[in-house]
Amino acid sequence: MKTIRYRDPQDDAVQLGLLEGDAVYSITRQVPQWTEPLAMWYALRALDVSPAHAAAKLAEGSAVSYTQLQADGLLLPPVVSPEVWAAGVTYERSREARNAETTIKDNVYDRVYTADRPELFFKATYARVVAPGKPLGLRSDSRWMVPEPELGLVLSAGGELVGWTVGNDLSSRDIEGENPLYLPQAKVFAKSCSFGPALLWNTGGEQPETWEIELVIRRDNAIAFEGVVSFSQFRRSFAELISYLRRDNPIQDGTVLLTGTGIVPPDDFTLQAADTIEIAISPIGVLVNRVEVPLEMKVTSI
Amino acid sequence: MKTIRYRDPQDDAVQLGLLEGDAVYSITRQVPQWTEPLAMWYALRALDVSPAHAAAKLAEGSAVSYTQLQADGLLLPPVVSPEVWAAGVTYERSREARNAETTIKDNVYDRVYTADRPELFFKATYARVVAPGKPLGLRSDSRWMVPEPELGLVLSAGGELVGWTVGNDLSSRDIEGENPLYLPQAKVFAKSCSFGPALLWNTGGEQPETWEIELVIRRDNAIAFEGVVSFSQFRRSFAELISYLRRDNPIQDGTVLLTGTGIVPPDDFTLQAADTIEIAISPIGVLVNRVEVPLEMKVTSI
Amino acid sequence: MKTIRYRDPQDDAVQLGLLEGDAVYSITRQVPQWTEPLAMWYALRALDVSPAHAAAKLAEGSAVSYTQLQADGLLLPPVVSPEVWAAGVTYERSREARNAETTIKDNVYDRVYTADRPELFFKATYARVVAPGKPLGLRSDSRWMVPEPELGLVLSAGGELVGWTVGNDLSSRDIEGENPLYLPQAKVFAKSCSFGPALLWNTGGEQPETWEIELVIRRDNAIAFEGVVSFSQFRRSFAELISYLRRDNPIQDGTVLLTGTGIVPPDDFTLQAADTIEIAISPIGVLVNRVEVPLEMKVTSI
Amino acid sequence: MKTIRYRDPQDDAVQLGLLEGDAVYSITRQVPQWTEPLAMWYALRALDVSPAHAAAKLAEGSAVSYTQLQADGLLLPPVVSPEVWAAGVTYERSREARNAETTIKDNVYDRVYTADRPELFFKATYARVVAPGKPLGLRSDSRWMVPEPELGLVLSAGGELVGWTVGNDLSSRDIEGENPLYLPQAKVFAKSCSFGPALLWNTGGEQPETWEIELVIRRDNAIAFEGVVSFSQFRRSFAELISYLRRDNPIQDGTVLLTGTGIVPPDDFTLQAADTIEIAISPIGVLVNRVEVPLEMKVTSI
């Protein structure tokens, strides 16, 4: 079962929707209190109703088109995540990539790669997250910015894995590269994160270790960069990341944990205004965001 | 299925509870978003889960004792009702009783009894409702006050009959009797209404026309008044009352509609401070409230 | 000092505004927590700052035009009133008018006119109030509906008179006339009340006893009815109405008490769809509402 | 002017209070909407009322004793801070101290000390902050934990300096020392932050550069550590820290920015359960917290 969140084309009200192919059925119109998936998740669990059974019951009434919602800019993040956390150095390739960002010997990335404790950091509040289809923002004081395409885990307050989404941990490589102590500034800023478009519910039968994640960056009608990585190269387990995240650190329902990136553009690549970033994990969907065009550039371009 | 609302003895948090015999199972601990019954009602309806099936799943974990909750003063109204409305002159006996309150010829009560349109009035906001077990307040400017024991209909915003509860439409007979235009003042005041203790869910199989409602008023360890009436004497249908209530008048989820009283104490009876009022409808439960003792009486009695 | 509430033409955010002539200065942009006047009223009182001094400080920055806000349908009720209450039979002429609605001897209206206790009734929740400029709704089951132009008192929870506004207690005369017990149905329904456009703050120097209230009803570019009454004909005091309203009946900040009408159209007059109702009290402003055109009439007119 | 927040001893309601000597005057009882200082700050600014004038007006009615509130555990953080951020390496001594935590050559702390860009990190959400007087929590997986006594800046959404408070950025030195990438885990955890007890309002006349901050850690009725540092040793300006914090990073009203520590206990010192930590900045007050005693230790000690 896949769910999305969106604004109703008629009255702008927030809707939780069931996504089947291109059809989106409003769940909220059937259960007004269900505007986000966690409320529904707790109910299904307590009533011992499977997501498949729920989906069969909720695919009812007239549907709207997902493609149309996307075209009209009406998609919302698939879960209200009070906090987004992220992991780093979880793939072989990410270790190599980040080596290049720093000149420190006895490299901090090498060490975290082999240590028991993973790198975990606070990435964003919900206010800093942009919805699928909405523009991401570049830091005005960075010259080297990249998307980080990641699998996102959607968690309950109890640490249960509610499901998966596609995430983008937009990052400044020059600010982080200057000093690891600048990591929070390289990671946390306005419009620095997006995830979606859908939440794929965890029913126990999914096999994320067989999935791939693909990144395509488009610029001026050409592909500026593309890459793909398989989760078979993932060097941590989800359970381990969740366990460290929750050590002495209570999380809330809907927390998203981004699991780190395994795709790194070459060192001479940086995002530019108006680039389009597409991140796909095929069982979940494609997260599309453009890069924001600063106001002064818009004025100049007239 | 019967549900109640209460404060958790441990942490004072509002709980929706499943009531089975004397056992109360917290539903809220299983589904944190379900602190009131309407959220659950919409979910069961959308998932096509029967209340009986839900009750079987939710009767889980450790239970608290209803008797203990009642003794500790932890019960809450079984539904958050933004508005309580009430009907009048719906039983043969209520017509007669109210005749006596007024000297107007071509009696207003006679006429409403035989008219198509029922008497309906705004009774209370949730802030004016006292929980089961909490004291009701007498108007300081009335000398003749009576409880009105009534069956309460719990409604959805769409007018569906979610279930039933026991209600008390505490009223001033002298203020209303002086002039029908004073009805709002005779009916709407602080602590003028109570309903509960439980919500009996409408599953289609209940037969309210076979129920009886009993009133017992205790004073100084004796019975000051008791009465009983059968719903077979009810002269309107629930559907008709709901239909008139909703004419050009949108209601909200959880609205309670009290259906009028058929038990009227004799004309020389008035409630006194410290009286205990018990109203029972056996499939639902017994609503118990004392009459508040004004502060100055408490001081005097020392 | 006069304040209004409105939606910002740019971002639709609710604004409390200072009204000076046609200029509206956003107070909310200066104090984000002040989106309604009671918060500001408490602050001025506690800091011992006069409304005149506050107005001088707050008339700052760029202003929007009241006329434009009105034309764009952006006005809101000048106070968030959780409850609107109303009084009746407070003018000589209202007594006479309502005589005609009923055939009961020993008339209930005559008696309330001469009694100590005024008629007071629950008129509306905020959800049933329409903003200045928005359409009022006629009851579908009434054939005789009239506006009731009234001075509205804006009250604090403590019963203090925060200020005045212009109110319209839209009423069904045939439903009330059929039986006084139907008063709640004649008074409480969707879109049955409006007040505004401004709140005139009580600074102690206003003289409402010298004010007049005027009603003009326009239909098809002609005046269908007009009337005027002076507050010198008012037969109760505001203090007395407030005192009765609060007897054993706690009110909330922002409660509006409509004080009854002294203008009654002739018995053959009833409102029609698309009528425009203008009610003016010159120190406060003109409250304008149209009468809603039912959906089926709109369709027919194509 | 100094304000605190606390729970009313009578009804547990949240109060904003004016602190004068040991006397606390409830501001909230005079202005119900003022339960936190930012609402009041915006109002004073818009009305051009000085804090001194406001304090004179608000010091009214009966007062409660600050000492008593503290003894009864009723203090709250002086501002609701949606986010707490912190700076590091802002004093000469902190640079030296943190050198010892790591073996990396070309030290990251040395470099940040001399760089234009300060170290800034996300420290806590309001849920992770404990009130003055409440116990701080040690990470269960750290063996080396220290308080970091810091001056806290209380900011408006626009970056204005509303005032100052005393803060404690409780930190794990071994986790951070193992790898700078572990900084978020060394800093962000349950009960990892406290600030208070008061907010000293910025009136333009305060001279923080002349203040000192003192730390006393008590254990078993003895002083386990004490230290003091003068703000004259502070190597950044507040304006610079605020400016970097807000670069491409919108903050909310009430954000607290801790400005880094200049007091570092010796390397063999670590906090223990039941230690008492006192941090004083004399114009503001003394922030006192104990270190939480884990449940298993409580059981053992019986």
Side-chain angles (χ1 to χ4, degrees), chain D residues 120-134:
Chain D
L120 287 170
F121 56 89
F122 184 91
K123 170 62 192 177
T125 51
Y126 190 68
R128 292 177 174 97
V129 171
V130 302
K134 298 294 181 189

Side-chain angles (χ1 to χ4, degrees), chain B residues 82-83 122 124-128 252, chain C residues 5 36-38 77-85 122-129 153-157 188 193 195 245 250-257, chain D residues 33:
Chain B
E83 298 180 357
F122 184 90
T125 52
Y126 190 69
R128 292 178 174 97
Q252 296 174 66
Chain C
R5 286 171 68 252
E36 49 81 37
L38 268 289
V79 62
V80 176
S81 57
E83 298 180 358
V84 180
W85 287 76
F122 185 89
K123 171 60 192 177
T125 51
Y126 190 69
R128 293 178 174 96
V129 171
L153 311 181
V154 176
L155 305 177
S156 74
V188 185
C193 185
F195 57 81
L245 172 62
I251 61 170
Q252 296 174 67
D253 279 326
T255 294
V256 170
L257 174 55
Chain D
Q33 296 80 6

Side-chain angles (χ1 to χ4, degrees), chain C residues 91 93 147-150 166 211-218 223-231 233 261-266 269 276-282 286:
Chain C
Y91 290 82
R93 296 183 55 186
E148 300 199 350
E150 312 192 2
V166 182
W211 299 345
E212 287 186 339
I213 188 166
E214 296 178 69
L215 168 67
V216 177
I217 302 172
R218 297 182 194 278
I223 291 177
F225 173 78
E226 60 186 328
V228 64
V229 71
S230 161
F231 286 100
Q233 297 187 41
T261 190
I263 302 176
V264 182
F269 179 87
T276 299
I277 307 165
E278 298 170 9
I279 307 174
I281 299 175
S282 69
V286 186

Side-chain angles (χ1 to χ4, degrees), chain B residues 104-204:
Chain B
I104 297 175
K105 299 279 190 271
D106 184 12
N107 186 282
V108 297
Y109 302 99
D110 279 343
R111 285 192 288 133
V112 81
Y113 184 74
T114 55
D116 283 346
R117 184 186 293 273
E119 179 194 9
L120 287 171
F121 55 89
F122 184 90
K123 171 60 193 177
T125 52
Y126 190 69
R128 292 178 174 97
V129 171
V130 301
K134 298 293 181 190
L136 289 159
L138 301 185
R139 273 196 79 105
S140 57
D141 57 0
S142 171
R143 298 279 156 256
W144 187 14
M145 298 203 70
V146 290
E148 299 199 350
E150 312 193 2
L151 178 66
L153 311 181
V154 176
L155 305 177
S156 74
E160 290 132 316
L161 180 56
V162 171
W164 297 272
T165 190
V166 182
N168 187 347
D169 165 23
L170 181 64
S171 302
S172 163
R173 290 186 69 184
D174 51 353
I175 293 177
E176 180 182 350
E178 186 179 341
N179 194 322
L181 294 175
Y182 293 155
L183 184 85
Q185 296 175 75
K187 294 291 192 180
V188 184
F189 49 93
K191 305 181 183 175
S192 65
C193 185
S194 188
F195 57 81
L199 167 67
L200 176 68
W201 288 52
N202 176 11
T203 66

Side-chain angles (χ1 to χ4, degrees), chain C residues 58-216:
Chain C
L58 294 167
E60 182 175 277
S62 59
V64 294
S65 156
Y66 171 78
T67 308
Q68 194 61 46
L69 290 175
Q70 189 176 39
D72 294 345
L74 294 172
L75 297 178
L76 293 172
V79 62
V80 176
S81 57
E83 298 180 358
V84 180
W85 287 76
V89 206
T90 50
Y91 290 82
E92 177 80 19
R93 296 183 55 186
S94 61
R95 178 176 63 116
E96 293 164 9
R98 286 173 69 173
N99 279 351
E101 292 165 21
T102 173
T103 59
I104 298 176
K105 298 280 191 272
D106 184 12
N107 188 282
V108 298
Y109 303 99
D110 279 344
R111 285 192 289 134
V112 80
Y113 184 75
T114 55
D116 283 346
R117 183 185 294 273
E119 179 194 9
L120 288 171
F121 56 89
F122 185 89
K123 171 60 192 177
T125 51
Y126 190 69
R128 293 178 174 96
V129 171
V130 302
K134 298 294 180 189
L136 289 159
L138 301 184
R139 273 195 79 105
S140 57
D141 57 359
S142 172
R143 298 280 156 255
W144 188 12
M145 297 202 71
V146 291
E148 300 199 350
E150 312 192 2
L151 178 66
L153 311 181
V154 176
L155 305 177
S156 74
E160 290 132 315
L161 181 56
V162 171
W164 298 271
T165 190
V166 182
N168 187 346
D169 166 21
L170 181 65
S171 302
S172 162
R173 290 185 69 184
D174 51 353
I175 293 177
E176 180 182 352
E178 187 179 339
N179 194 321
L181 295 176
Y182 293 156
L183 183 85
Q185 296 174 75
K187 294 292 192 179
V188 185
F189 48 93
K191 305 180 183 177
S192 64
C193 185
S194 188
F195 57 81
L199 167 67
L200 176 68
W201 288 52
N202 175 12
T203 65
E206 293 76 14
Q207 297 186 294
E209 66 279 7
T210 67
W211 299 345
E212 287 186 339
I213 188 166
E214 296 178 69
L215 168 67
V216 177

